[in-house]
Amino acid sequence: MNFDLDHVSVRHRTARPGLPPALQGLSLRIAAGERLAVIGPSGAGKTTLLHLLACAQPPSAGRFGVGGSAPWSLPRRELQRLRGRLFLAPQVPPLPPRQRVVTAVLAARLPALGLWASVRSLFYPHDIPAAFDALDRFDLGEKLFERVDRLSGGERQRVGLARALLAPAQAWFVDEPLSALDPTRSRQAVTTLIAGAQERGATLVASLHQVDVALEHFPRIVGLRNGQLAFDLPAAEVTRERLARLYDRFEHELRGEGAAAPDAPVVQPVVMHCR
C-alpha cells in the first residue's frame, strides 16, 4: 500500500488560534512495502504524520492519497474498511488494564471479525497459539495469561507491538516504540518489527527518538522540524552535520538524554480509534 502527500498541512482542531499547523506543506511518497524512520526533535510533527498516514487525522490543506484514493472523500463505511488495513501503534498502547494479555493481543484481529465473533473473542480467545507466537517473538510468551496492569511499562509497550504481527493490516505506523525499552530490548523489538513487516510485505513507518537505531535499521530517513521536511534521504547520506542542524537547540535529544527510563511507570493510555 503506497501513500502520497502533496503539500499537505495538518492543523489540529484543538490548536490555539495563531499557532502554525502541526505539519506544513509536506510532500512525501511512501512505496508499498517500504521501511522508513521519521526523526526530529520534540514537537516536530512526527506523531501527527503517523496519525495522518493512518487516516486518524485529516489534512487541512494539500492532497493526501492512500493506494490511489483520497481517503477523506470516501463514504464512512469505506473509510472504516481502509482504516482496518492500517495499524497505528501509539507510544502508550491503549490496553485495558484489567484485560488479559492474550485478549489484548488478539484484539488486533477485530477489524477482520464480524460483530458476534468480536464479542465472543473478548470472553473466549479464538487463536491462543497465534497470540503466544506473536508475544514470544518479543520475549513475552510467558505473559500470555497475565493481566495487563501487572506488566511493566516496557512489557506493555512490547505487547502493543506484538499486536502488529496479528493485525490484518498492509501498513504499520508505530510511534516511539522504544521509549520504555533498554538498548538491548530496543534493538530486538525493531528487528522483530522489521522482520514481521517483511514477511507480510507491509509498509512500516516508525517515529524514533533513538537516531542511532533509525540509522542502523531503516534504509530511508525522514527528518522533520517545526512541522516541515528537513530532509528525506537514504540512511547512509544522513551525516552528523545534517543531524546537528536538525536537532539544533535540542542536542540533548540527539544524545538520547531526557528520555523516559526503561520500564518506567506507565501513564494513562490515550483514547484511540478502534480499528
Side-chain angles (χ1 to χ4, degrees):
M1 182 178 291
N2 62 288
F3 300 81
D4 290 283
L5 287 71
D6 184 12
H7 293 90
V8 168
S9 296
V10 175
R11 181 181 295 278
H12 295 290
R13 296 185 181 94
T14 57
R16 295 196 306 273
L19 288 179
L23 292 178
Q24 305 175 52
L26 189 64
S27 295
L28 284 175
R29 176 174 173 79
I30 303 173
E34 193 169 9
R35 289 179 286 126
L36 183 155
V38 184
I39 64 173
S42 297
K46 301 187 295 296
T47 297
T48 300
L49 174 59
L50 295 187
H51 282 218
L52 171 75
L53 293 170
C55 297
Q57 172 71 45
S60 53
R63 292 185 298 170
F64 171 55
V66 179
S69 66
W72 293 98
S73 66
L74 296 174
R76 181 175 178 82
R77 187 180 296 272
E78 290 186 32
L79 177 59
Q80 287 298 105
R81 279 200 291 266
L82 174 60
R83 285 173 168 169
R85 297 159 58 198
L86 309 172
F87 178 81
L88 175 63
Q91 181 176 354
V92 180
L95 306 177
R98 297 177 63 85
Q99 197 172 64
R100 300 290 176 182
V101 169
V102 60
T103 305
V105 172
L106 287 172
R109 288 184 168 176
L110 292 179
L113 300 178
L115 175 61
W116 294 114
S118 299
V119 174
R120 187 178 187 279
S121 70
L122 296 176
F123 302 97
Y124 303 101
H126 56 280
D127 196 348
I128 293 175
F132 175 83
D133 289 343
L135 289 165
D136 194 50
R137 293 182 69 169
F138 289 93
D139 284 343
L140 288 173
E142 76 283 358
K143 302 293 185 179
L144 184 66
F145 294 108
E146 194 74 74
R147 262 179 37 169
V148 167
D149 57 6
R150 294 176 182 170
L151 302 179
S152 69
E155 288 169 341
R156 290 195 193 193
Q157 198 159 47
R158 285 183 284 153
V159 167
L161 298 178
R163 290 159 56 106
L165 303 181
L166 297 180
Q170 297 173 278
W172 301 351
F173 307 107
V174 291
D175 189 15
E176 301 294 351
L178 315 178
S179 60
L181 305 182
D182 61 37
T184 300
R185 290 292 189 197
S186 292
R187 282 173 168 77
Q188 182 218 25
V190 166
T191 300
T192 301
L193 275 176
I194 290 174
Q198 288 177 326
E199 292 164 10
R200 296 270 297 274
T203 305
L204 173 61
V205 182
S207 69
L208 292 168
H209 269 307
Q210 296 85 346
V211 175
D212 56 337
V213 175
L215 295 175
E216 180 181 352
H217 293 279
F218 288 83
R220 179 182 173 188
I221 308 294
V222 166
L224 293 182
R225 185 179 174 98
N226 296 327
Q228 298 178 317
L229 183 67
F231 58 76
D232 179 3
L233 294 169
E237 296 181 20
V238 180
T239 63
R240 287 294 158 187
E241 290 75 16
R242 289 186 186 276
L243 292 175
R245 290 195 294 271
L246 182 67
Y247 286 90
D248 183 35
R249 299 192 303 279
F250 293 87
E251 292 83 359
H252 61 288
E253 293 189 15
L254 181 58
R255 295 192 298 267
E257 300 171 3
D263 285 344
V266 181
V267 298
Q268 184 66 28
V270 296
V271 176
M272 298 296 295
H273 291 292
C274 179
R275 303 191 188 284

